[in-house]
Amino acid sequence: MHREKGSCHKGDRSSNMGEEYLVYPDRIKQFTAFFMNLILIVVCCCFIYMKAVPVWMKFFLGIMIIFMAVMEGKTIRQMGKREVLYRLDQKGITDYTNPDEVVFLKWTEVGKIETVVNNTSLQIGIMGIKVSENKERMGEILKRNLSVNGNMAFYQIVIDGFQFRKKTFREIIDQCRYYAIKYHPSVVITESKDPFLKR
């Protein structure tokens, strides 16, 4: 059995089926972004209908409205899909954010987990190294890495805190630490002290 909490699914750690932690898009964060964009669209429309606004400004506002409307449509589609972004279980961590290149790292292949400050938010960086099993499906960057690293491909899974509320992102960090330490005790874990994650 699994229980839902926020934008994540926690597996029952006592279950015979094994434990897992699923990260979904943060619905509240998505709705907030949708609502704020909607307000901006309304404001831009009001300015367009004002006679005192120059024509070139109206043209610029029109482009902005189109851009924000496209973003709103994208947000609505994402909210409707409810797809898993990341999965943590006893085997490793899987990144589903790019359906064309799903990345899976065993915990024994993870060398470091760190939280780093990026502009106004934090990011979780999960760095791993593994032997390439299928060169043909790799991107150009990984192919270049293979040519100089002796058939070793370096991977990095990045979870951006901007996409989640503070409490949810704190939970994701705690779960990454829990799974990594439990299944690969020698993994290096570092965490930036930042007000973004103050409890």
Side-chain angles (χ1 to χ4, degrees), residues 74-155:
K74 183 178 179 181
T75 300
I76 292 174
R77 288 193 298 272
Q78 289 176 342
M79 292 176 67
K81 289 180 179 179
R82 186 70 172 165
E83 295 178 341
V84 177
L85 300 177
Y86 307 94
R87 172 180 175 144
L88 288 76
D89 56 28
Q90 64 270 29
K91 296 180 180 179
I93 179 169
T94 308
D95 180 354
Y96 297 103
T97 56
N98 185 351
D100 296 327
E101 292 185 19
V102 175
V103 177
F104 171 73
L105 287 175
K106 298 178 183 177
W107 291 118
T108 53
E109 296 169 339
V110 175
K112 184 178 182 180
I113 297 178
E114 63 180 352
T115 56
V116 295
V117 179
N118 180 29
N119 296 326
T120 58
S121 66
L122 282 182
Q123 290 183 336
I124 304 172
I126 302 171
M127 286 161 281
I129 182 171
K130 64 190 294 186
V131 177
S132 171
E133 297 178 354
N134 189 340
K135 298 181 185 179
E136 298 301 326
R137 298 185 61 185
M138 289 189 171
E140 292 301 322
I141 295 178
L142 289 183
K143 288 182 180 180
R144 289 196 295 269
N145 285 344
L146 290 175
S147 65
V148 297
N149 293 324
N151 201 38
M152 301 297 289
F154 293 92
Y155 293 80

Side-chain angles (χ1 to χ4, degrees), residues 134-181:
N134 189 340
K135 298 181 185 179
E136 298 301 326
R137 298 185 61 185
M138 289 189 171
E140 292 301 322
I141 295 178
L142 289 183
K143 288 182 180 180
R144 289 196 295 269
N145 285 344
L146 290 175
S147 65
V148 297
N149 293 324
N151 201 38
M152 301 297 289
F154 293 92
Y155 293 80
Q156 183 172 15
I157 295 175
V158 177
I159 305 176
D160 193 348
F162 184 76
Q163 303 176 25
F164 305 94
R165 287 165 290 156
K166 296 179 183 179
K167 182 179 179 181
T168 302
F169 193 60
R170 175 77 262 175
E171 182 178 310
I172 294 172
I173 291 177
D174 291 342
Q175 290 297 315
C176 286
R177 182 189 298 109
Y178 165 78
Y179 279 91
I181 292 176

